[in-house]
Amino acid sequence: MLRCSTFLEVRLPHIAHNIDLIRTHYASKATLIPMIKGNAYGNGLERVAGYIHDACRVNHFGVASLGEAVAVLKGNAHSIDTGRTNHVVVFSDTELMDESVHHVYAEQNAKYRAGNGAQLAPVLGTEEQLQLFCKLRRTIFKDTPLCLKINTGMDRLGVTLERLKELTPLLRENGGVDLLLQHFSVSGLVGHSFTKAQHIKFQQAKESLQAAGVEVRGTSAANSGAIEQRLAVEEMYVRPGLMLYGPTSLAASSITPDEVPKYRLWDGKCCGYFYTKVLHHYVAKAGSYIGYGITHNLVPEDAVIVLIPVGYADGFMRYYSNMPVTVSPAPPRGHEDDPAVKESALVGVVHGNVNMDIAAVAVHPAMVGHSVEEIMRRIENESQILVWGNDVAEKAAAVKSIPYQLMCGLSIRVPRRYVE
Ligand SMILES: *Cc1c(COP(=O)(O)O)cnc(C)c1O
């Protein structure tokens, strides 16, 4: 799609940096299953998968849906979908109850067995799925690994410990478990007792299976929040998502200052930088209304309005009203965090209604400490501005959202531009 001035710049080496950081300082014994679902958290599914395979020697890929898995394989037919080393794990929407897609697993895993394709692993999340899988264990699913989710407290998918006892004979008869996993629900809160309880339950599940003679060949428990706390990183696999792309998962409010060194607060590099431009800027007089509507779009005092060519068709949502946006020209690449850059940044707030194609950013003299004339001078039509980058978490917090949602929200109208 031809779009020159509005794009998401994806700095791929920053993902490589983050993977390195996890491997060396956070989970040195574990194998990574980087989570690339949700279009790699908005950064581009196929391209990110191919990059981390080639540049970071990643061989495991975590997605949410079967469709995402197929896209990863199709998009990387000559790198990921070859040989015996690569594995794509489908964590939630496996489509397993739909017989018409069973052949996708059967054919892909027959290829894997023959040594010329990646393995495709569905995570069984309900008892019905497990029963169906085992019924077809010797036929359609004979080459497909048995991956089972344990419910340790999240209470969405997964088998409870009580039910696991009942299911033990079935698992034993079907050759054991290739991957046993669980998911933490509050790992963003440092040291939370609920997380500890989940971790203990997971250990109990593993031990009870092993004690009953069920082979457990792989285990995985940690997502980003847990990895940042170095929790459950001794399991065979860890599943980092958000941290791969930069932001921390730990709620600052849950860490006391003396705990900071202990957790060595995640200092990953942000990979996604959302740029647009100043379409037009002008002085709006007090009492005028900007754009659609006739209530909350009132300009109370003279202000400078900066129009940017992004709206909800780009995934820049209506509720982003009041989000702070820096409207002075974007700093040179790599200088986003320079103190001088931050000092001189002119920050406005999204004003009134975001519409499909345009949002208005108001720069209020009282907020920035400059006259309307000075603000007008510091903004240039057609100049590049950075909507969000390594400050994506602050942007999200300002509109009561989370970085995941802002990142995943960017639509296909925003081209992804890759920096290798
Ligand atoms: C999304 C997901 C993750 C990654 O979570 P983050 O909080 O982004 O690290 C890990 N495991 C599963 C099963 C997931 O669905």
Side-chain angles (χ1 to χ4, degrees):
M1 195 176 296
L2 182 60
R3 204 145 186 233
C4 308
S5 51
T6 295
F7 55 92
L8 181 74
E9 181 172 293
V10 181
R11 303 182 188 170
L12 291 168
H14 291 190
I15 300 179
H17 168 91
N18 298 339
I19 286 179
D20 256 4
L21 212 54
I22 298 169
R23 281 175 171 160
T24 47
H25 293 293
Y26 288 83
S28 54
K29 296 203 184 76
T31 296
L32 266 52
I33 307 179
M35 297 304 296
I36 53 171
K37 62 189 178 183
N39 201 21
Y41 290 49
N43 294 289
L45 178 64
E46 289 95 329
R47 186 67 185 263
V48 169
Y51 176 80
I52 60 178
H53 173 268
D54 297 349
C56 310
R57 304 169 324 282
V58 161
N59 296 116
H60 294 77
F61 305 86
V63 293
S65 69
L66 178 60
E68 290 174 326
V70 170
V72 168
L73 295 172
K74 282 222 168 91
N76 295 279
H78 303 294
S79 55
I80 295 172
D81 195 14
T82 59
R84 241 176 222 276
T85 46
N86 297 319
H87 310 259
V88 182
V89 187
V90 184
F91 281 96
S92 35
D93 188 13
T94 59
E95 307 280 12
L96 211 86
M97 299 309 288
D98 180 353
E99 267 179 37
S100 72
V101 301
H102 286 176
H103 71 99
V104 180
Y105 289 103
E107 286 161 19
Q108 184 64 37
N109 289 319
K111 253 174 76 173
Y112 172 71
R113 187 195 176 94
N116 49 32
Q119 186 184 56
L120 182 58
V123 171
L124 307 172
T126 67
E127 235 172 284
E128 288 109 306
Q129 291 172 8
L130 175 63
Q131 295 288 359
L132 180 65
F133 184 89
C134 290
K135 206 174 105 197
L136 303 172
R137 188 74 182 118
R138 284 170 183 82
T139 55
I140 196 109
F141 294 133
K142 68 177 162 43
D143 301 319
T144 300
L146 195 160
C147 306
L148 182 65
K149 187 166 200 170
I150 303 297
N151 176 10
T152 59
M154 187 109 159
D155 282 343
R156 294 192 315 194
L157 292 172
V159 171
T160 61
L161 265 67
E162 295 71 50
R163 291 301 306 153
L164 189 64
K165 282 211 171 57
E166 308 289 320
L167 295 165
T168 300
L170 183 70
L171 293 168
R172 197 170 40 225
E173 285 156 27
N174 281 280
V177 180
D178 291 289
L179 177 62
L180 190 75
L181 66 125
Q182 72 91 47
H183 199 50
F184 288 120
S185 58
V186 289
S187 62
L189 299 180
V190 171
H192 202 285
S193 58
F194 197 82
T195 305
K196 286 178 191 152
Q198 282 192 281
H199 193 195
I200 290 169
K201 275 195 182 172
F202 185 63
Q203 300 307 327
Q204 288 170 345
K206 195 163 64 175
E207 284 158 17
S208 79
L209 285 176
Q210 284 163 341
V214 177
E215 196 186 350
V216 178
R217 290 178 286 274
T219 57
S220 173
N223 56 352
S224 296
I227 297 168
E228 284 186 63
Q229 297 183 60
R230 294 187 184 73
L231 202 75
V233 293
E234 68 289 344
E235 304 296 341
M236 193 179 292
Y237 301 99
V238 294
R239 310 188 304 270
L242 190 66
M243 67 195 311
L244 293 175
Y245 310 101
T248 179
S249 297
L250 301 188
S253 59
S254 70
I255 312 168
T256 59
D258 52 306
E259 283 176 331
V260 170
K262 180 171 156 205
Y263 292 113
R264 188 187 182 273
L265 276 188
W266 176 243
D267 52 358
K269 289 187 180 176
C270 167
C271 72
Y273 289 75
F274 180 28
Y275 288 100
T276 188
K277 70 172 176 186
V278 175
L279 195 61
H280 181 52
H281 75 298
Y282 57 96
V283 178
K285 287 286 172 198
S288 57
Y289 298 90
I290 310 296
Y292 291 109
I294 196 75
T295 49
H296 54 292
N297 55 343
L298 172 72
V299 180
E301 304 288 343
D302 289 5
V304 173
I305 297 294
V306 180
L307 299 181
I308 57 175
V310 298
Y312 53 78
D314 302 291
F316 195 81
M317 306 305 188
R318 296 258 299 185
Y319 71 88
Y320 293 180
S321 195
N322 290 323
M323 179 188 284
V325 175
T326 299
V327 291
S328 40
R333 303 301 193 258
H335 291 273
E336 292 82 8
D337 280 332
D338 290 4
V341 164
K342 290 193 162 171
E343 184 75 9
S344 65
L346 204 52
V347 182
V349 290
V350 175
H351 181 89
N353 287 321
V354 171
N355 71 224
M356 192 183 289
D357 313 303
I358 291 182
V361 180
V363 187
H364 299 286
M367 279 170 65
V368 297
H370 298 298
S371 66
V372 160
E373 294 72 30
E374 176 64 13
I375 297 168
M376 282 299 286
R377 256 196 305 280
R378 290 185 180 214
I379 299 170
E380 291 167 39
N381 284 344
E382 294 296 315
S383 63
Q384 184 170 67
I385 62 174
L386 182 56
V387 184
W388 65 62
N390 46 3
D391 57 356
V392 65
E394 293 153 42
K395 297 293 162 92
V399 295
K400 299 192 169 57
S401 183
I402 52 175
Y404 297 78
Q405 192 159 250
L406 268 59
M407 294 158 62
C408 292
L410 291 179
S411 78
I412 55 166
R413 195 166 78 176
V414 179
R416 273 62 174 174
R417 273 201 206 163
Y418 293 94
V419 177
E420 290 249 4

